[in-house]
């Protein structure tokens, strides 16, 4: 981020600023007291927070059912003070289908990583989207299997080194990185498909608006809303968090460009 | 003299020292401590509190939501 040349200055003592009435940002109450189990700098924490803030702002906390995946966020139910259900690996959209069809008045979202959604759960993802199930899918894409030790995922970039591709991903052997969000956007059952990121403050604000819109679509019964969040895995990428977000901007974003891929309109 | 004065409070024991807030702060308010917290991480603190405008950048990128942000309007009569 470009540093501003003019550094502001104020002389207000800290004890006059740090008062409860002056709070403009604090942790949402929908977080439990548990410390997040993610590595330092992991984008999962921001994604969790944005979902919880949207749910809190919409006032639907008692109507939401979340589906936790298999992957790093397998313990999402430990951190989100919501009704949550754990799904078998990749099967979150199938489970969400069942929950939403039996409880059509609830808001159902699945929270899945790229190994979960784009590999073992490809069939469930694509068919739930094709059926136009009225659910929201939050897809965290960090291009690697984080939890199991940094193995290649379908979304791993060409030439990217992982523990199972130590010489870099070779598309002749391992295929090309899959743009599952573009695939899902083609299906008539989806109403809102977007790709966001959460590594800068401006992008966090945009991502929050996108998640809000996805839940609004679910409220309007328009079909499946799909939010991809391009995120970092500094442990799997073998980088510091600050290096990882720089690498993400230089390598992930050119292949996974941000923005709305589909937006049929809420009216 | 800024018209807005901000401040942040870091929940030191929950900070994991990722430095994303330091990287994101537009005015170099934050820095990493030399001390470590209960988990052994260097934590973020306000090194230059007088430059904070409460812009929220640090809090928005913090993956563990350890930052609480405060902001006040500075009355016009206040002079340095």
């Amino acid at each position: 981020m470009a540093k501003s040349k003019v550094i502001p200055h104020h002389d207000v003592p800290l004890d006059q600023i740090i008062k409860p009435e002056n709070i403009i940002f604090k942790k949402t109450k929908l977080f439990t007291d548990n410390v997040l189990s993610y590595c330092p700098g992991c984008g999962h924490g921001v994604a969790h927070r944005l979902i919880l803030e949207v749910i809190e702002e919409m006032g639907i906390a008692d109507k939401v059912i979340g589906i936790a995946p298999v992957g790093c966020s397998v313990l999402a139910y430990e951190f989100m003070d919501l009704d949550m259900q754990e799904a078998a690996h990749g099967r979150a959209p199938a489970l969400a289908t069942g929950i939403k069809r039996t409880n059509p008045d609830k808001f159902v979202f699945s929270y899945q990583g790229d190994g979960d959604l784009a590999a073992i759960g490809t069939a469930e993802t694509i068919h739930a989207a094709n059926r136009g199930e009225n659910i929201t899918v939050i897809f965290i894409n960090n291009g690697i299997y984080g939890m199991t030790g940094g193995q290649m995922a379908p979304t791993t970039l060409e030439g990217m080194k992982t523990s199972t591709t130590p010489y870099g991903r070779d598309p002749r052997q391992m295929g090309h990185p899959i743009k599952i969000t573009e695939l899902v956007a083609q299906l008539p059952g989806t109403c809102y498909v977007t790709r966001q990121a959460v590594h800068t403050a401006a992008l966090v604000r945009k991502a929050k608006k996108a998640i809000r819109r996805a839940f609004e679509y679910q409220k309007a019964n328009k079909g499946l809303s799909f939010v991809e969040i391009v995120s970092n895995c500094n442990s799997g990428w073998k980088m510091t968090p600050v290096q990882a977000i720089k690498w993400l901007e230089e390598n992930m974003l050119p292949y996974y460009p941000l923005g709305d891929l589909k937006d049929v309109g809420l009216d | 003299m800024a018209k807005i004065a901000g401040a942040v409070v870091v929940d030191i024991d929950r900070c994991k020292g990722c430095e994303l807030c330091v990287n994101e702060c537009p005015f170099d308010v934050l820095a990493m401590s030399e001390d470590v917290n209960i988990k052994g991480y260097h934590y973020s603190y306000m090194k230059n509190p007088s430059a904070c405008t409460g812009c929220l950048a640090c809090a928005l990128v913090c993956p563990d939501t350890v930052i609480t942000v405060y902001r006040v309007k500075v009355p016009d009569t206040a002079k340095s």
Side-chain angles (χ1 to χ4, degrees):
Chain A
M1 184 172 174
K3 305 277 180 187
S4 171
K5 286 178 185 171
V6 181
I7 301 291
H9 178 80
H10 68 76
D11 289 324
V12 183
L14 280 183
D15 58 353
Q16 285 185 27
I17 307 174
I18 300 175
K19 291 178 181 174
E21 64 266 29
N22 296 334
I23 289 180
I24 56 167
F25 180 91
K26 64 174 183 177
K27 195 171 185 173
T28 164
K29 287 176 187 162
L30 291 179
F31 265 121
T32 62
D33 284 337
N34 297 325
V35 176
L36 295 179
S37 56
Y38 307 114
C39 304
C42 176
H44 271 307
V46 180
H48 278 29
R49 191 187 77 227
L50 296 184
I51 294 169
L52 294 179
E53 284 179 356
V54 165
I55 290 171
E56 188 179 36
E57 283 168 18
M58 290 178 76
I60 54 172
D62 53 346
K63 290 188 199 161
V64 169
I65 300 171
I67 321 282
V70 172
C72 279
S73 46
V74 64
L75 296 175
Y77 53 80
E78 295 276 9
F79 315 125
M80 298 184 179
D81 194 7
L82 301 169
D83 289 330
M84 300 284 288
Q85 171 66 48
E86 178 64 47
H89 203 348
R91 274 58 180 171
L95 184 58
T97 299
I99 292 176
K100 184 70 182 185
R101 286 190 180 191
T102 49
N103 300 276
D105 57 326
K106 304 286 187 195
F107 289 84
V108 180
F109 75 92
S110 74
Y111 183 95
Q112 303 175 261
D114 48 329
D116 189 67
L117 181 144
I120 192 167
T122 314
E124 282 75 9
T125 305
I126 288 184
H127 288 291
N130 195 40
R131 291 193 305 269
E133 298 296 342
N134 192 30
I135 58 174
T136 299
V137 175
I138 312 288
F139 167 39
I140 311 294
N141 179 6
N142 54 18
I144 207 162
Y145 279 84
M147 183 195 220
T148 47
Q151 290 86 357
M152 188 193 83
T155 46
T156 298
L157 299 178
E158 274 185 46
M160 184 172 163
K161 288 180 182 171
T162 68
S163 59
T164 45
T165 56
Y167 303 107
R169 180 177 186 162
D170 179 359
R172 286 174 301 176
Q173 280 185 356
M174 297 128 185
H176 293 272
I178 189 167
K179 293 184 177 182
I180 195 105
T181 306
E182 273 84 347
L183 288 173
V184 164
Q186 295 172 21
L187 302 172
T190 52
C191 56
Y192 180 55
V193 181
T194 184
R195 182 183 285 124
Q196 303 289 332
V198 292
H199 58 278
T200 70
L203 292 171
V204 169
R205 289 180 206 269
K206 276 189 191 168
K208 185 173 173 183
K209 279 184 191 157
I211 294 172
R212 171 81 188 230
R213 193 160 176 84
F215 277 94
E216 297 284 358
Y217 268 108
Q218 187 173 160
K219 195 176 183 180
N221 272 305
K222 291 272 189 178
L224 189 135
S225 45
F226 191 98
V227 181
E228 171 178 349
I229 295 175
V230 182
S231 182
N232 57 328
C233 178
N234 23 279
S235 300
W237 298 354
K238 316 284 184 216
M239 297 176 194
T240 67
V242 174
Q243 286 169 341
I245 61 168
K246 200 171 171 219
W247 191 90
L248 184 155
E249 277 192 343
E250 290 169 359
N251 297 278
M252 295 283 279
L253 296 190
Y255 193 80
Y256 298 112
L258 304 181
D260 290 352
L261 288 108
K262 185 178 189 180
D263 192 344
V264 298
L266 268 167
D267 302 325
Chain B
M1 185 75 185
K3 289 180 181 171
I4 288 175
V8 301
V9 173
V10 177
D11 187 344
I12 290 171
D13 287 347
R14 282 175 174 250
C15 179
K16 292 179 185 164
C18 68
E19 300 188 29
L20 291 183
C21 54
V22 177
N23 182 57
E24 189 68 15
C25 177
F27 304 124
D28 296 330
V29 173
L30 294 167
M32 300 309 290
S33 67
E34 289 186 12
D35 295 343
V36 292
N37 65 10
I38 195 165
K39 289 174 178 259
Y41 293 118
H42 296 284
Y43 52 87
S44 159
Y45 78 106
M46 281 206 292
K47 188 182 180 186
N48 184 16
S50 66
C52 182
T53 60
C55 72
L56 294 179
C58 54
L60 289 176
V61 297
C62 176
D64 293 274
T65 326
V66 301
I67 299 177
T68 306
V69 185
Y70 299 79
R71 184 161 65 196
V72 290
K73 280 186 183 167
V74 180
D76 291 337
T77 52
K79 284 179 183 171
S80 56

